[in-house]
Amino acid sequence: MEGLSIAEAAYEEWLTSERERFRLIGCKVYSRLMDNAEHGGRLEEALTYGSKLLALDPIQEQTHRALMRLYFTQGRHEAALSQYERCRRELSQQLGVQPASETEQLVRAIKASRRAGTAGAEVRASTGGRSDPTERLNRPSIAVLPFSNLSGNSEQEYFADGVSEDIITELSRYRSLFVIARNSCFQFRGDVDVADVRSALGVRYVVEGSVRKDGNRIRVTAELIDALDRCQIWAERYDRESQDIFAVQDQVARAIVATLEGRVAAKGAEIARRKPTADWVAYDYFLQGRALGYSYRQVESEALFARAVELDPNYAQAHAWRAVALGVTYLQNGLESTLDAALASARTALALDDNDARCHYAMAYVALRHCDYDLAGYHHDRAQSLNPGDPDIAGGRANWLMHVGRLSEALATLDAALERDPFPATWQWDVRGYILFHMERYTEAIKAFRSVRAEPFWIVGMLAAAYAHAGNSEEARRQLNRYLTLRPGATLATVSDKIIYAKENMRQRWLDGLRKAGLSD
């Protein structure tokens, strides 16, 4: 009724009342639409509804906060911070107040992520999750930051990282703790504020430390900090022979849990102990290989794992990681002998330690490559039961669920894993992209594949197929040309030979996408 004017007080009073009623209805509608869009992973749509909601009510701080979180999860740090400034300005000008502590905590998390140089919070964008960075502050949640390398040699960085990662693994075995995954913890290096870590990762406790390696001696210092009040609640220094590093890692983990037990009732802890190597040099090769394996450099990492098991044939973990490295190498070279070697390594790992989650994970991965879906499922379930807190193991199980066609369960499994890992390992974007592709959510799949911080040939091929299914023929063709550069002479027939989906419709969806992109028979 804009523009209609009747010079009667009763009419004007009624009109004002009706306009306010409809404004409130509009706010409720946009709020619900925004919520549904975010839960459905349609983030741009959610942002649009949020902007419309603020046009009706610019002082809704929770809406400003929701938009900040949406921008944050897309990796758009500057847009999130601009939204905060708008929120602060509106509240100050219209109400004369400052943003709530919850909003301030969120903006600190965004700034911490920007300083870390990562858009890792994109995880929540593609999952459609609404996790707030502060929501786990009162839970027994813990982040182990990368230990500082005090050896005076930057090339020893991998060793300090390896010690930190193994402590994370040990803590993850305690079911009573919520342990943030390696990749997310490692976004925070150097001199960081534990309040920023708390805000970004949603943890109550933070572990910091350092490693100094000098010949055959090693010194490890560690401290446990309550991130709420920044108080140190435990600290210790360990001076040992280098061969005692595994005992040190175990002592640190046990001390942390013992300290937290009285504070957070972390009772009934169950630990499935691994069998470490007694060979210091073998462990060093293992750490180097593991560092390479996180960035799709499996051919290089496999050689290092091979050297580790040569030095210590009883090193179960090295056999397990070598099995996976060989499995990924098989994707690249297509040699059956490589896959046979992967199976042999996985069997050796299990024979050495049937109670190690990584050994079962390795066998599950290799069994999937052999299309033995039931065997893969058994070992994935066993791995998860041994270490339910490891996001990598959960991500591997999500990959198996996808291959057998249980797509919704696969997505839910990966979402649950990502709750522990807001800055996930890059290969988990790979898995997520495949799941979304086969759910025919091609635009989201493309975003996931684009987030992989490496470009193995299969990612490029999946991008070509996804763009083709999404109707972008020009980009599909461009990606296909890149794919053919990486895989000269590839045809639909050669691709088909390596597909291991249990469901024929998934196989055809992949081939149809490549066919639409222009790959020949």
Side-chain angles (χ1 to χ4, degrees):
M1 303 181 73
E2 186 176 2
L4 178 61
S5 178
I6 299 177
E8 291 186 13
Y11 168 77
E12 291 298 332
E13 183 179 344
W14 171 84
L15 182 60
T16 300
S17 175
E18 285 298 286
R19 282 177 173 167
E20 177 62 15
R21 185 171 69 87
F22 276 98
R23 188 186 70 83
L24 294 175
I25 291 173
C27 288
K28 290 180 181 178
V29 170
Y30 283 133
S31 178
R32 181 165 296 182
L33 288 170
M34 181 184 181
D35 186 70
N36 289 341
E38 186 178 358
H39 276 292
R42 304 185 305 279
L43 299 195
E44 289 300 327
E45 186 179 331
L47 286 166
T48 298
Y49 289 132
S51 297
K52 291 182 177 180
L53 178 53
L54 287 179
L56 293 175
D57 190 354
I59 59 173
Q60 277 204 19
E61 186 174 359
Q62 70 272 20
T63 304
H64 284 285
R65 196 159 52 238
L67 290 177
M68 289 168 61
R69 185 176 61 246
L70 286 166
Y71 287 129
F72 178 38
T73 57
Q74 290 181 321
R76 298 165 63 184
H77 298 89
E78 297 305 322
L81 294 175
S82 295
Q83 190 67 49
Y84 166 75
E85 289 300 327
R86 180 187 170 189
C87 173
R88 187 178 60 80
R89 186 172 58 251
E90 293 284 358
L91 293 176
S92 176
Q93 291 177 352
Q94 298 198 40
L95 300 178
V97 299
Q98 294 299 310
S101 60
E102 187 177 359
T103 306
E104 297 293 349
Q105 286 178 326
L106 178 57
V107 80
R108 284 197 296 270
I110 294 167
K111 290 178 179 178
S113 177
R114 183 178 61 173
R115 285 196 298 272
T118 177
E122 288 172 2
V123 173
R124 296 192 184 103
S126 51
T127 62
R130 295 182 59 88
S131 297
D132 188 278
T134 63
E135 68 180 354
R136 294 194 300 267
L137 291 180
N138 295 319
R139 297 179 59 186
S141 51
I142 188 167
V144 180
L145 304 189
F147 280 27
S148 300
N149 169 32
L150 301 183
S151 300
N153 182 355
S154 60
E155 294 182 359
Q156 290 294 321
E157 194 78 28
Y158 74 88
F159 180 78
D161 286 353
V163 172
S164 309
E165 181 175 349
D166 284 340
I167 292 173
I168 291 172
T169 299
E170 292 306 308
L171 289 174
S172 296
R173 300 177 193 277
Y174 291 86
R175 294 173 183 267
S176 54
L177 297 181
F178 190 101
V179 183
I180 299 297
R182 167 202 183 275
N183 207 61
S184 294
C185 293
F186 278 33
Q187 303 299 320
F188 297 89
R189 289 186 179 274
D191 186 16
V192 300
D193 189 332
V194 295
D196 291 338
V197 178
R198 181 194 69 188
S199 297
L201 301 181
V203 294
R204 172 68 184 271
Y205 302 99
V206 173
V207 177
E208 295 182 321
S210 65
V211 177
R212 183 188 298 276
K213 181 183 175 187
D214 185 11
N216 291 325
R217 299 290 298 180
I218 185 169
R219 170 176 290 180
V220 177
T221 63
E223 61 176 333
L224 177 65
I225 301 168
D226 187 329
L228 278 180
D229 54 18
R230 307 186 189 188
C231 289
Q232 182 190 81
I233 58 177
W234 169 84
E236 188 60 83
R237 186 180 76 186
Y238 303 87
D239 289 295
R240 298 285 193 278
E241 294 290 331
S242 56
Q243 289 82 355
D244 294 336
I245 185 61
F246 302 107
V248 170
Q249 292 165 355
D250 182 53
Q251 288 172 6
V252 170
R254 288 178 180 272
I256 290 170
V257 174
T259 303
L260 293 182
E261 192 168 40
R263 292 171 174 259
V264 296
K267 299 178 181 178
E270 300 176 15
I271 302 180
R273 295 295 307 135
R274 63 180 176 173
K275 297 179 181 177
T277 181
D279 190 304
W280 172 253
V281 181
Y283 179 61
D284 195 69
Y285 277 118
F286 170 77
L287 291 183
Q288 293 181 60
R290 191 167 65 180
L292 291 174
Y294 284 120
S295 56
Y296 285 94
R297 296 167 64 183
Q298 271 74 23
V299 174
E300 298 169 73
S301 71
E302 190 277 322
L304 292 165
F305 294 134
R307 183 67 178 132
V309 299
E310 180 183 347
L311 291 168
D312 184 358
N314 295 320
Y315 195 173
Q317 283 270 314
H319 283 289
W321 280 79
R322 187 188 183 200
V324 175
L326 284 165
V328 179
T329 300
Y330 165 72
L331 292 177
Q332 299 172 333
N333 66 23
L335 298 176
E336 292 299 323
S337 59
T338 301
L339 192 56
D340 291 341
L343 181 59
S345 290
R347 285 173 172 166
T348 301
L350 275 178
L352 289 168
D353 194 348
D354 186 59
N355 285 319
D356 186 273
R358 278 283 172 176
C359 294
H360 285 278
Y361 174 93
M363 178 57 79
Y365 183 85
V366 176
L368 181 59
R369 289 288 150 215
H370 277 281
C371 296
D372 192 338
Y373 306 111
D374 291 340
L375 182 64
Y378 167 79
H379 285 288
H380 272 306
D381 289 345
R382 183 86 173 100
Q384 191 168 44
S385 69
L386 287 167
N387 194 346
D390 190 330
D392 284 354
I393 287 173
R397 186 170 183 274
N399 184 53
W400 166 72
L401 288 166
M402 181 271 295
H403 275 90
V404 299
R406 294 159 61 179
L407 300 177
S408 296
E409 189 177 350
L411 191 60
T413 298
L414 196 59
D415 284 353
L418 295 177
E419 280 296 305
R420 292 180 180 271
D421 196 1
F423 303 96
T426 192
W427 65 266
Q428 294 205 27
W429 287 109
D430 188 338
V431 175
R432 185 168 192 81
Y434 273 92
I435 295 171
L436 293 168
F437 176 87
H438 288 294
M439 296 178 82
E440 300 183 36
R441 292 160 59 175
Y442 300 117
T443 300
E444 294 172 75
I446 290 167
K447 289 180 181 178
F449 289 131
R450 288 290 194 184
S451 298
V452 177
R453 295 184 296 277
E455 287 196 323
F457 72 87
W458 57 86
I459 293 292
V460 181
M462 287 303 297
L463 278 169
Y467 275 115
H469 279 306
N472 189 339
S473 57
E474 181 179 350
E475 186 62 25
R477 185 64 191 178
R478 194 179 78 83
Q479 295 296 332
L480 181 64
N481 289 336
R482 295 178 62 227
Y483 176 75
L484 291 172
T485 300
L486 296 171
R487 305 294 286 179
T491 65
L492 289 173
T494 61
V495 171
S496 181
D497 286 343
K498 298 303 179 185
I499 294 177
I500 59 173
Y501 299 130
K503 304 293 185 182
E504 181 60 26
N505 65 321
M506 295 174 66
R507 177 192 188 90
Q508 289 304 319
R509 184 179 295 112
W510 166 221
L511 294 175
D512 287 346
L514 289 176
R515 186 178 292 109
K516 288 180 181 179
L519 189 62
S520 64
D521 292 332

